[in-house]
Amino acid sequence: MAKTAEALYNQFTIEEYFVEEEPFYLPVSDEVELFEAAYAAQVPILLKGPTGTGKTRFVEYMAWKLSQPPATAKRRSKASQNGHLIPLVTIACHEDLTASDLVGRYLLDAEGTRWIDGPLTRAVKSGAICYLDEIVEARKDTTVLIHPLADHRRVLPVEKQGLVLEAKKGFQLVISYNPGYQSAIKDLKESTRQRFIAIEFVPPPPEAEAKIIEKESGCTHRQALALAKLGEKIRNLQEHGLKEGASTRVLIYSGKLMAKGIAPRRACHVAVVWGITDDHEVQRSIEEVVSSIFE
Amino acid sequence: MPELWEDLEKLPLPLQEEFHKAAKTLSLIFKEDEMASWAKEGLAISTQTARSWEAGVEYLKVSGEVAKYLSFSSFTQWTRCGAYLSQDSPSLAVAYFRAGPGIVVNLRPQHIARWAGLGRSMYKGTWKSSTLASKFFEVSPSLVRNLSFWDVEVFAGLIESLSAKSYDLANECLTLGNQALAGMGREREAFLSLCRTQTETSWREVKACFEVVDKSLPQIEESQRGRFLRLAEHLAREGSRETSVFLVSGSTALGKIKPQAQQHILDLCDALLSVSPQAVHAFLRSLDSVLSRITLAQLDTWFDRGARLIKENPEGGLAYFRVESNTSEAALESLSSSLELDRVRGVLMLYCRALSGADIEVTESSELVHKGIGWVSEGHATTEGTKVYLPPIIDRYPSKDENFGWYKVVSTHQVAHIEFGSFLFAFEKPSGLFQDTRLEREKALLAQVREDPEMKAYLRGAEGNWITDMSRYFSLLSDRKLALDVFTILEDGRLDYRVKQEYPGMKHIYHQVQESALESRPPLLELPLRQAMVELLVRFSLEQHHGLMVPRKYVKAARVLAKIQKRLHNVAASVEASAEATLRAYEILSRIPNEREPQEEWESQDFDTEEEFSEEELSKLIEEMGTGAQGEEEEEQERYESPEDIDFRGDFKPELVQTLNRMRSGQAPDGEDGSEPLTKEMLEELLRQSAELGMQNEGEDAEAMAAFAQNLMKEAGVTPPTSRPGQGYGPIVHVDEQGGALEAREPKTYVYDEWDFRAADYKPKWCIVREKTVEEGDLKFFGDTMRNYAPLINDVRRQFELAIPESFRKVRRQPDGDEFDLDAAVEAMIDRRSGITPSEKVYWFRNKQERDVAVVFLLDMSASTAEAIDEGRPMVGDQDAPDDPVEYMMWLRSRREGLVRRHYKRIIDLEKEGVALLLQALESIGDIYGIYGFSGYGRENVEFYVIKDVEESLTDNVKKRIDKISPLHATRMGPAIRHATAKLVQQEAKTKILFLISDGRPQDRGYSREGVEKEYAVHDTHMALVEARRLNITPFCLTVDKSGHDYLKAMCGDMNYEVLGDIWTLPQRLPQLYRKLTI
């Protein structure tokens, strides 16, 4: 772990970003086993589900979990054992993400040009878990780039350098995708889709969600239960005026505010009601639900 | 005298006779010399002119009668006046004399001359004026009888000045006035003064006023009538032309409020009068509807706001007082504490959906009642499993928030029925909290009734044909009414508890509502025993446990009831637990006779015990009670009445709901297929058994039962409804332009606001847009157009196809991109070498922005598009006849057919052709598009024709519809644009375009102010376009009206528009413009 300028901020090179502390993750079903199996079998993974259902947290958790030496979980995580650790490369995809952004590009230098590896290339080289978040946001030509990596070939062609990079053992491609945004334009191509196994993420059941909220936010058990109920009720409104229900994330946020002493109703207003919709009527209804649930 | 007789003999015979007759009577009254003088006068009158003998006859006829009342000198005066009149017009004199006997009774003698003068002054020497004057004399007796002479003089003066305008009108007014004025009191003077004022301004109104006054004035408090009339007069002086309308509507409005308040309203009117006389009328007109929403005290606040507004903005203020502006609505809204369901329906619906997770609709209770399926109470909340029905208006509390709170409690309770499974009762499902006894009881009952022929229905059910689990359950208990009451109380109590647990935020308000429900409960002491015990259960369910009066001998029973009820206070309690609890409570209650108990036999008890219910205690109690009331003679008992409703809990009809649910899903309760389908007979049987319909006598109204069953089946969609389409919706709303907001009652109708530029405010819900699909015509039109414009089409298509690659072009000199832009890079290197700061824009990238356009075309289908365009113009394609002989023949034929079919072209035809061409272009470029036409008549009938809906794909049907586009009615553009905008907003495209094609300025009935200000329509259209643009839609207007420049500038503002100089170019120009607009 290379920490430079420690006093001011932490900075890691891409290959050296490890998940060292165990992130809190509460498995909802068999997703952990599936991930482990896919990792062992070198099958790329597609995480599907609405925002705030724990996709990113899950990947972090798996990066940590897979880094643990088998059956000796207690002796984990000292710098000397870096060899076991699996780096986690997260790339947030956006509309203007180009192939060069992922693979790398030549930069002008005093002497001429210098090649800089892109994050994907570096993940391939270091055998990292590469997590492409919100893959549908990226341009179609960019998504095609990962095709050779995502099938049996496991290679990344670097055209500009005239190279083909073979993925290091341990390299794992994970992409996430939110079908809620589905419009004709933002959909995954079939050819991309069918290169992945898909693990579906849904909001956890209320009890599990309450546990997550309680653990993450530090609010009381009662508050966590109430928040989970609120989440459940708001999700009932999906497709009736709401595009997406309240995610666990916003519920946690309001839990955090409550833990810091904000009145529950107020906390829900700022974290949940105003966050998830601008429609006045829907806001009003959700506020009514909030005021029903919280005293 | 003898010389007189001689003269007399020269006169006509009838005159002589009359003379003798009168002389006989008069000789008793008059002295000798007086007789002589009378005879002389009579002779003089009769011989004055050729025709004056008629007057003479009349004079002689009445003089006997008149003489009875007048002294001789007055008589002479009367006679002289008549003689004088007779000189002018004998017929006038006839009328004068004829009125004599009636007049002299009531008129003071000294007024006679003045009275005669009144009649005389009406006579202007013409035939018409003499009729009028005669008429005046004719009605005079009744006038002087009812009016003071002073009033008669004023009235006569009024009639005279009216006669200067129109004799006919004056004549009619005379008759009308005679009747109308008679009924008046002190306000007569004011009324006459009002009429006088009007003779100067709008004399025609006078008659109307006379007509309406006797109907309208009595509605007003007597002391205020004069004031009201003075107000009307003031308005008339200010130029109001509709005084009669004001009289009617004003008095109606005032009549509806309390007499004491009328003065206050008139004070307000006076205050308004000084600012804007017009507004007074508007204010009075809307008074009734305003007062139905707010109280008189609140009216002042509402009024003040309007009065302030009207000083700054007269038009806006006027609209405010008409309650045709949003400001006014908002003011009313904030003032009135009563809450209408319509205003919060959306919020409540989402709220209910959120709680239940089901697709719940929220609607008014009356709707369910009208369905006639068993629910009868319009004021109560209820649910039938898919919808929550609420009362339409809540006015229980002094503030809106509290009233909303009530709605919330009520709907939460109804949703709780759904959320916590009231209707999911399953007979065989264990209750968890009680020992389940349902199956045992059923077995016992079966054994008992197997032989009983009266229980056939029960047995049929028992063979596995229960319609619902609920009815199977209720069949266990012989007194179904009691069973239903107990079950309702216990189940509602369970839900109340559950809601308070699940929604702690509701605790407080729920508690309040329960408290206020308790306040209105009847005293236990006053009820017969069984009802008192049921009432006790109600109290327990409302969480009252202290200080309850209980009959001494049933204290133990009451304690057990309390414990049974208490057990349901558990989040784990299910509907089955309620059912088991009901069985137990029923056991107890059915043993209590419904008799009166003397007061001293009651004592106060507390029931907040921590003890748990135990089955042993119950069975011991039952044993002690023995058969109780069950065995006793019914005669001593009072008839059992259900406890009073607890209004926040509404109606609960579990059996009906289960029946409906079952019919909807078309399955037996246990989900087994293959069970008998539900027949109408079975339904009727169920309804007869059920206590939920509240039928008192068995067998009562077999017809009603059949109707219920029929309605239920219809509701569940079991039988196709036999009603005509559209039935069940209200009749077409016909409201004139002065009316208020409209409401869309039918499917595919939409309501939109309209912009009133002078008021600078929207008129809320002003227009109804009715969406219809154009009927399909012949495909031939489309084909012909394609052939006629073949070269043009190819051209258009090529242009559009070319447009696609354009969007993939390279964008050079970018700060980042796919590759170096070589030119820029070289320049940059050179710059660097030469020591200049190089540009960093050295990349290029492909602009791969996809074309993402949605467009809506809006065609003007108004009647004016039927205008023929000048003939003689060669058809397009004339010049390029095909070279190929076969094609040429076809071309020729198509042309000939075209010529035979129609000799001229209309604007609409060109619009149609343009659309057909566009279809081709749009299909080739792949944009999302919709094509609509609009027309209409009046604000309640804005027709919006779908030629191709946005979602629809181009089918032959669409092409056929184009044929049927035809000129219809008027052009109300605003609502059509708003509706098209609403359609576009739903599209996700990045670029949205609204393309309006019209042939002239917008106009419609009432789509202008007072029919003169065309600006109104233009401004509304402008506002509609501005609204569209605010929603990220690009509007574009194309018009073929050559004079379009003047108003299009106002209508479109800074938005794009084009006036097509040459109409014939429309089909070509349309695709061109579209291309320009989107690329």
Side-chain angles (χ1 to χ4, degrees):
Chain A
M1 172 122 320
K3 288 186 180 175
T4 48
E6 207 165 353
L8 291 171
Y9 52 87
N10 296 338
Q11 174 176 306
F12 310 97
T13 59
I14 288 174
E15 296 85 349
E16 287 170 342
Y17 178 71
F18 308 112
V19 182
E20 281 190 291
E21 294 296 314
E22 179 179 357
F24 173 72
Y25 182 78
L26 188 73
V28 174
S29 87
D30 59 349
E31 66 269 26
V32 174
E33 293 81 52
L34 281 174
F35 196 105
E36 281 174 335
Y39 185 77
Q42 301 194 330
V43 177
I45 298 168
L46 161 68
L47 305 179
K48 206 169 158 179
T51 182
T53 42
K55 299 188 292 290
T56 307
R57 178 59 67 86
F58 175 62
V59 174
E60 282 177 12
Y61 174 74
M62 289 317 295
W64 170 83
K65 190 156 196 290
L66 292 167
S67 302
Q68 302 310 305
T72 51
K74 279 182 183 169
R75 274 178 36 234
R76 66 181 169 83
S77 84
K78 277 295 135 210
S80 59
Q81 290 173 326
N82 271 2
H84 289 293
L85 294 179
I86 303 167
L88 174 61
V89 178
T90 304
I91 301 161
C93 299
H94 53 84
E95 278 180 355
D96 293 332
L97 191 76
T98 61
S100 340
D101 290 338
L102 283 176
V103 177
R105 57 161 56 94
Y106 280 108
L107 291 183
L108 280 173
D109 207 346
E111 286 80 40
T113 59
R114 186 165 59 92
W115 173 258
I116 294 278
D117 275 340
L120 182 60
T121 314
R122 293 168 79 164
V124 167
K125 282 179 178 172
S126 60
I129 292 177
C130 181
Y131 177 44
L132 295 169
D133 201 358
E134 301 287 3
I135 187 78
V136 283
E137 293 292 337
R139 290 159 52 174
K140 293 242 162 75
D141 59 321
T142 320
T143 41
V144 174
L145 191 79
I146 60 173
H147 283 188
L149 267 178
D151 53 26
H152 64 280
R153 291 171 283 177
R154 284 175 57 85
V155 292
L156 176 67
V158 186
E159 283 169 42
K160 287 177 192 162
Q161 280 186 306
L163 294 174
V164 173
L165 274 177
E166 203 169 280
K168 191 179 166 189
K169 188 177 176 308
F171 172 79
Q172 172 70 31
L173 192 60
V174 182
I175 63 175
S176 82
Y177 158 63
N178 182 353
Y181 300 144
Q182 228 171 28
S183 72
I185 309 158
K186 286 185 178 170
D187 201 0
L188 269 186
K189 281 159 84 109
E190 277 305 303
S191 55
T192 312
R193 217 177 240 255
Q194 299 211 7
R195 283 182 152 81
F196 293 83
I197 63 156
I199 301 178
E200 178 131 30
F201 278 69
V202 288
E207 304 78 46
E209 190 164 33
K211 220 179 271 178
I212 296 166
I213 294 168
E214 189 179 348
K215 169 86 180 141
E216 286 283 304
S217 67
C219 64
T220 66
H221 182 61
R222 275 176 67 100
Q223 286 169 336
L225 277 173
L227 279 170
K229 186 184 287 167
L230 177 65
E232 189 197 354
K233 300 297 178 202
I234 294 176
R235 276 169 212 137
N236 283 338
L237 284 183
Q238 230 157 311
E239 305 303 318
H240 296 302
L242 272 186
K243 268 200 203 124
E244 239 170 67
S247 64
T248 311
R249 186 167 33 227
V250 294
L251 296 175
I252 291 170
Y253 286 171
S254 45
K256 281 182 173 173
L257 293 179
M258 288 180 206
K260 293 286 175 230
I262 303 288
R265 284 189 182 179
R266 182 72 184 148
C268 289
H269 283 182
V270 296
V272 182
V273 181
W274 293 341
I276 60 179
T277 179
D278 291 327
D279 183 313
H280 188 71
E281 196 161 76
V282 183
Q283 272 186 359
R284 174 95 195 272
S285 331
I286 299 175
E287 272 172 33
E288 292 304 334
V289 177
V290 168
S291 64
S292 284
I293 292 177
F294 292 95
E295 285 178 67
Chain B
M1 288 285 277
E3 66 271 29
L4 278 174
W5 294 122
E6 269 167 43
D7 287 346
L8 200 61
E9 262 150 40
K10 292 177 205 151
L11 290 172
L13 211 60
L15 199 68
Q16 292 182 30
E17 282 169 20
E18 282 301 329
F19 205 97
H20 291 302
K21 242 192 259 170
K24 217 182 263 171
T25 335
L26 284 171
S27 57
L28 302 172
I29 304 166
F30 290 158
K31 295 181 206 127
E32 192 75 6
D33 55 329
E34 288 171 348
M35 275 301 275
S37 139
W38 162 74
K40 219 156 94 192
E41 289 287 353
L43 248 171
I45 292 169
S46 311
T47 52
Q48 251 169 0
T49 60
R51 284 189 66 249
S52 64
W53 65 272
E54 289 168 25
V57 170
E58 204 57 47
Y59 170 70
L60 296 170
K61 249 189 208 166
V62 299
S63 44
E65 196 61 28
V66 172
K68 286 183 194 162
Y69 295 94
L70 296 179
S71 66
F72 185 74
S73 64
S74 304
F75 182 85
T76 316
Q77 198 187 11
W78 174 72
T79 312
R80 292 258 165 78
C81 288
Y84 180 64
L85 282 174
S86 170
Q87 280 171 8
D88 292 330
S89 152
S91 58
L92 206 61
V94 169
Y96 170 82
F97 285 131
R98 197 175 286 155
I103 280 287
V104 290
V105 184
N106 295 304
L107 194 66
R108 309 230 311 261
Q110 65 262 40
H111 287 149
I112 287 178
R114 273 162 75 186
W115 169 65
L118 291 177
R120 171 65 186 82
S121 59
M122 283 180 202
Y123 177 70
K124 302 282 189 300
T126 62
W127 170 76
K128 272 191 169 170
S129 67
S130 106
T131 317
L132 180 68
S134 311
K135 180 90 178 216
F136 172 73
F137 286 128
E138 199 178 295
V139 300
S140 286
S142 109
L143 275 178
V144 294
R145 190 167 57 242
N146 298 314
L147 276 60
S148 69
F149 186 70
W150 170 251
D151 285 344
V152 175
E153 278 189 307
V154 175
F155 180 55
L158 176 73
I159 297 297
E160 194 198 329
S161 44
L162 275 180
S163 70
K165 314 282 183 187
S166 154
Y167 278 106
D168 290 342
L169 191 93
N171 216 331
E172 284 171 83
C173 287
L174 193 57
T175 326
L176 289 168
N178 180 28
Q179 297 153 5
L181 293 170
M184 283 188 211
R186 285 190 308 186
E187 69 272 17
R188 191 187 295 127
E189 190 186 330
F191 180 71
L192 287 170
S193 159
L194 165 68
C195 292
R196 271 211 85 83
T197 311
Q198 286 183 94
T199 53
E200 289 144 27
T201 52
S202 50
W203 50 274
R204 281 181 205 284
E205 269 298 303
V206 177
K207 181 188 158 201
C209 286
F210 274 119
E211 278 168 347
V212 298
V213 74
D214 56 341
K215 290 262 175 342
S216 43
L217 271 190
Q219 299 179 58
I220 301 174
E221 224 270 314
E222 213 175 340
S223 60
Q224 300 305 321
R225 288 180 197 160
R227 185 139 180 236
F228 174 69
L229 289 168
R230 277 193 290 281
L231 182 71
E233 186 184 345
H234 204 124
L235 286 181
R237 203 168 288 145
E238 293 287 344
S240 163
R241 293 281 178 276
E242 4 178 73
T243 310
S244 60
V245 181
F246 175 79
L247 285 183
V248 173
S249 58
S251 56
T252 315
L254 284 169
K256 282 185 184 151
I257 57 175
K258 282 188 234 115
Q260 308 87 286
Q262 291 181 358
Q263 185 178 5
H264 180 64
I265 298 295
L266 287 171
D267 284 343
L268 293 181
C269 288
D270 281 343
L272 202 53
L273 192 63
S274 56
V275 190
S276 160
Q278 282 167 294
V280 175
H281 197 176
F283 168 62
L284 278 179
R285 256 176 205 257
S286 26
L287 190 64
D288 186 38
S289 70
V290 169
L291 281 179
S292 71
R293 296 171 64 179
I294 58 178
T295 67
L296 207 59
Q298 290 166 331
L299 182 71
D300 286 358
T301 323
W302 179 77
F303 180 88
D304 281 349
R305 246 176 255 182
R308 237 174 296 140
L309 179 67
I310 210 162
K311 274 176 203 154
E312 292 155 20
N313 177 356
E315 282 293 323
L318 204 56
Y320 180 95
F321 282 111
R322 284 191 188 131
V323 200
E324 279 172 10
S325 76
N326 282 347
T327 327
S328 179
E329 276 288 337
L332 278 178
E333 168 74 357
S334 70
L335 279 173
S336 78
S337 61
S338 68
L339 191 60
E340 287 148 49
L341 178 60
D342 274 340
R343 300 190 182 275
V344 290
R345 191 201 301 273
V347 171
L348 285 174
M349 189 171 80
L350 288 172
Y351 174 76
C352 292
R353 285 178 177 181
L355 292 197
S356 66
D359 262 3
I360 291 182
E361 303 272 333
V362 170
T363 164
E364 290 179 15
S365 303
S366 55
E367 211 166 285
L368 186 61
V369 173
H370 292 162
K371 282 180 183 164
I373 53 173
W375 279 267
V376 287
S377 137
E378 295 203 7
H380 272 132
T382 187
T383 176
E384 37 76 286
T386 56
K387 288 181 182 169
V388 168
Y389 294 88
L390 298 173
I393 190 160
I394 295 291
D395 198 6
R396 305 172 69 95
Y397 300 101
S399 85
K400 260 201 156 47
D401 285 349
E402 285 170 288
N403 283 323
F404 181 78
W406 169 262
Y407 262 135
K408 199 175 154 184
V409 169
V410 169
S411 42
T412 308
H413 185 84
Q414 294 306 326
V415 169
H417 279 305
I418 300 167
E419 193 182 0
F420 304 121
S422 289
F423 307 123
L424 299 177
F425 173 76
F427 191 83
E428 290 169 22
K429 198 170 153 199
S431 69
L433 292 172
F434 291 93
Q435 206 178 318
D436 291 300
T437 58
R438 279 161 288 170
L439 281 171
E440 281 167 39
R441 274 168 193 270
E442 186 172 45
K443 256 183 233 156
L445 190 63
L446 267 177
Q448 195 188 327
V449 302
R450 197 160 297 280
E451 304 307 320
D452 193 344
E454 297 215 340
M455 300 299 280
K456 246 186 205 156
Y458 181 78
L459 284 172
R460 195 168 58 232
E463 277 156 25
N465 286 327
W466 289 113
I467 293 177
T468 65
D469 278 7
M470 213 68 236
S471 42
R472 181 177 173 190
Y473 166 75
F474 279 127
S475 299
L476 291 179
L477 303 167
S478 52
D479 186 348
R480 292 189 87 164
K481 190 170 171 186
L482 178 64
L484 177 66
D485 288 344
V486 175
F487 180 70
T488 306
I489 296 166
L490 291 174
E491 174 67 3
D492 280 337
R494 172 183 84 93
L495 294 178
D496 282 356
Y497 177 80
R498 186 78 188 267
V499 165
K500 283 195 277 185
Q501 288 305 305
E502 297 278 338
Y503 303 108
M506 297 286 289
K507 254 187 204 163
H508 181 64
I509 185 161
Y510 230 94
H511 197 70
Q512 278 183 343
V513 169
Q514 284 188 332
E515 292 272 287
S516 70
L518 276 174
E519 276 167 26
S520 57
R521 298 310 299 173
L524 287 158
L525 267 172
E526 289 175 10
L527 296 170
L529 285 176
R530 187 187 289 178
Q531 274 170 243
M533 294 302 271
V534 173
E535 177 64 27
L536 199 62
L537 207 53
V538 172
R539 303 293 181 85
F540 293 152
S541 83
L542 288 171
E543 297 186 20
Q544 186 186 15
H545 292 107
H546 291 271
L548 289 161
M549 295 304 283
V550 187
R552 209 164 276 147
K553 55 180 165 182
Y554 292 118
V555 170
K556 215 168 181 188
R559 295 220 173 273
V560 178
L561 282 177
K563 285 177 197 166
I564 292 173
Q565 209 278 328
K566 188 89 189 284
R567 179 153 281 203
L568 293 172
H569 278 197
N570 185 327
V571 275
S574 60
V575 62
E576 287 80 15
S578 294
E580 286 292 336
T582 305
L583 289 179
R584 284 158 179 77
Y586 179 87
E587 284 299 324
I588 299 172
L589 291 166
S590 63
R591 284 180 166 76
I592 298 174
N594 204 29
E595 338 168 296
R596 299 278 170 186
E597 184 83 353
Q599 275 212 11
E600 58 275 14
E601 290 299 314
W602 298 69
E603 59 185 30
S604 178
Q605 287 282 334
D606 291 345
F607 290 93
D608 49 351
T609 166
E610 288 301 309
E611 266 178 73
E612 281 288 316
F613 165 78
S614 76
E615 303 281 354
E616 292 77 45
E617 195 183 354
L618 174 72
S619 45
K620 227 168 88 192
L621 176 77
I622 299 288
E623 222 167 274
E624 277 170 30
M625 293 177 84
T627 46
Q630 285 173 329
E632 276 176 40
E633 280 299 307
E634 292 277 320
E635 283 162 26
E636 291 168 30
Q637 302 192 13
E638 286 182 35
R639 192 192 166 106
Y640 168 77
E641 297 285 342
S642 297
E644 277 177 33
D645 291 325
I646 303 158
D647 45 10
F648 79 91
R649 288 176 175 170
D651 281 351
F652 179 46
K653 299 192 190 292
E655 204 176 344
L656 271 176
V657 174
Q658 277 207 338
T659 312
L660 262 176
N661 283 349
R662 180 188 159 189
M663 290 197 297
R664 281 185 185 130
S665 64
Q667 278 191 336
D670 43 10
E672 276 174 41
D673 280 292
S675 64
E676 258 181 73
L678 210 53
T679 63
K680 201 178 157 201
E681 287 68 36
M682 288 164 74
L683 254 183
E684 281 177 44
E685 181 59 36
L686 174 136
L687 294 173
R688 202 164 296 129
Q689 294 290 328
S690 172
E692 290 172 11
L693 283 186
M695 287 285 173
Q696 294 300 321
N697 306 317
E698 276 188 42
E700 176 198 47
D701 280 349
E703 262 177 58
M705 208 63 82
F708 271 136
Q710 181 78 46
N711 290 342
L712 264 176
M713 295 182 98
K714 203 198 282 174
E715 172 64 19
V718 177
T719 43
T722 49
S723 59
R724 299 186 304 280
Q727 200 188 29
Y729 304 107
I732 289 178
V733 206
H734 188 89
V735 189
D736 68 0
E737 221 48 50
Q738 292 306 318
L742 297 168
E743 204 183 331
R745 291 172 195 271
E746 292 167 59
K748 293 248 170 207
T749 57
Y750 308 84
V751 188
Y752 291 97
D753 295 1
E754 198 169 78
W755 177 254
D756 184 351
F757 76 103
R758 295 232 313 229
D761 200 341
Y762 284 98
K763 290 182 171 177
K765 296 186 179 172
W766 201 250
C767 298
I768 289 190
V769 171
R770 297 170 192 273
E771 197 179 289
K772 303 169 181 175
T773 304
V774 176
E775 58 167 312
E776 285 161 24
D778 202 339
L779 196 55
K780 200 159 168 294
F781 173 82
F782 189 79
D784 285 350
T785 311
M786 289 299 110
R787 262 197 303 277
N788 285 337
Y789 287 94
L792 180 63
I793 286 168
N794 284 334
D795 189 35
V796 167
R797 193 179 286 159
R798 207 174 308 123
Q799 278 184 5
F800 273 78
E801 274 162 5
L802 275 172
I804 302 170
E806 275 179 23
S807 58
F808 281 84
R809 64 189 181 276
K810 273 186 188 178
V811 182
R812 297 189 179 275
R813 291 182 190 273
Q814 296 296 313
D816 58 15
D818 301 349
E819 296 285 359
F820 282 114
D821 181 349
L822 205 56
D823 295 345
V826 168
E827 275 172 31
M829 288 309 288
I830 295 167
D831 284 349
R832 249 178 71 156
R833 294 274 162 88
S834 24
I836 305 165
T837 312
S839 161
E840 53 184 14
K841 296 184 177 176
V842 292
Y843 294 91
W844 62 260
F845 70 90
R846 279 187 200 283
N847 182 8
K848 288 200 178 166
Q849 265 186 346
E850 278 154 75
R851 188 179 165 84
D852 190 7
V853 181
V855 62
V856 161
F857 288 89
L858 210 48
L859 292 187
D860 184 350
M861 282 163 70
S862 62
S864 50
T865 51
E867 260 178 48
I869 318 165
D870 41 353
E871 291 175 56
R873 161 95 195 191
M875 281 177 79
V876 180
D878 218 3
Q879 306 90 337
D880 13 36
D883 292 334
D884 184 274
V886 182
E887 272 183 43
Y888 180 77
M889 288 310 291
M890 283 179 59
W891 171 80
L892 207 62
R893 198 184 309 144
S894 76
R895 268 198 68 216
R896 205 174 298 137
E897 280 167 2
L899 285 173
V900 171
R901 224 180 39 238
R902 194 179 295 130
H903 299 282
Y904 62 92
K905 277 205 180 190
R906 305 168 299 174
I907 296 175
I908 195 114
D909 293 324
L910 286 171
E911 282 188 21
K912 282 158 77 174
E913 287 175 356
V915 166
L917 291 179
L918 259 175
L919 280 180
Q920 288 298 309
L922 289 162
E923 283 298 320
S924 71
I925 202 164
D927 288 351
I928 304 161
Y929 66 102
I931 300 173
Y932 305 94
F934 68 95
S935 183
Y937 43 96
R939 65 185 179 105
E940 60 274 59
N941 274 307
V942 181
E943 295 155 328
F944 193 84
Y945 289 94
V946 178
I947 296 149
K948 179 190 168 297
D949 218 320
V950 183
E951 316 288 354
E952 212 174 2
S953 53
L954 177 62
T955 57
D956 277 359
N957 295 352
V958 172
K959 294 176 185 172
K960 283 179 194 166
R961 278 180 215 148
I962 295 176
D963 186 31
K964 283 286 174 181
I965 301 176
S966 44
L968 293 161
H969 314 286
T971 332
R972 205 180 191 99
M973 277 185 194
I977 292 172
R978 289 189 179 96
H979 191 59
T981 307
K983 292 214 170 250
L984 263 177
V985 164
Q986 290 164 14
Q987 296 304 315
E988 284 193 352
K990 278 186 193 144
T991 317
K992 297 177 198 174
I993 294 168
L994 194 151
F995 206 114
L996 181 70
I997 304 163
S998 77
D999 74 329
R1001 58 164 68 245
Q1003 54 198 5
D1004 187 11
R1005 174 168 68 73
Y1007 201 33
S1008 52
R1009 252 177 192 281
E1010 277 86 49
V1012 281
E1013 287 177 37
K1014 291 172 179 168
E1015 276 74 15
Y1016 180 83
V1018 169
H1019 276 87
D1020 177 50
T1021 310
H1022 173 69
M1023 196 39 98
L1025 292 170
V1026 169
E1027 283 163 33
R1029 208 170 51 166
R1030 264 187 225 141
L1031 293 166
N1032 245 334
I1033 292 167
T1034 316
F1036 186 90
C1037 301
L1038 177 66
T1039 184
V1040 295
D1041 181 7
K1042 278 178 194 163
S1043 62
H1045 277 294
D1046 56 80
Y1047 63 88
L1048 266 175
K1049 209 167 180 72
M1051 201 167 91
C1052 297
D1054 54 347
M1055 284 165 268
N1056 282 327
Y1057 66 89
E1058 181 164 311
V1059 178
L1060 214 53
D1062 182 359
I1063 285 183
W1064 288 95
T1065 58
L1066 181 72
Q1068 291 99 309
R1069 189 65 187 145
L1070 207 49
Q1072 277 174 17
L1073 275 171
Y1074 180 64
R1075 186 172 168 268
K1076 218 170 85 181
L1077 212 60
T1078 57
I1079 292 167

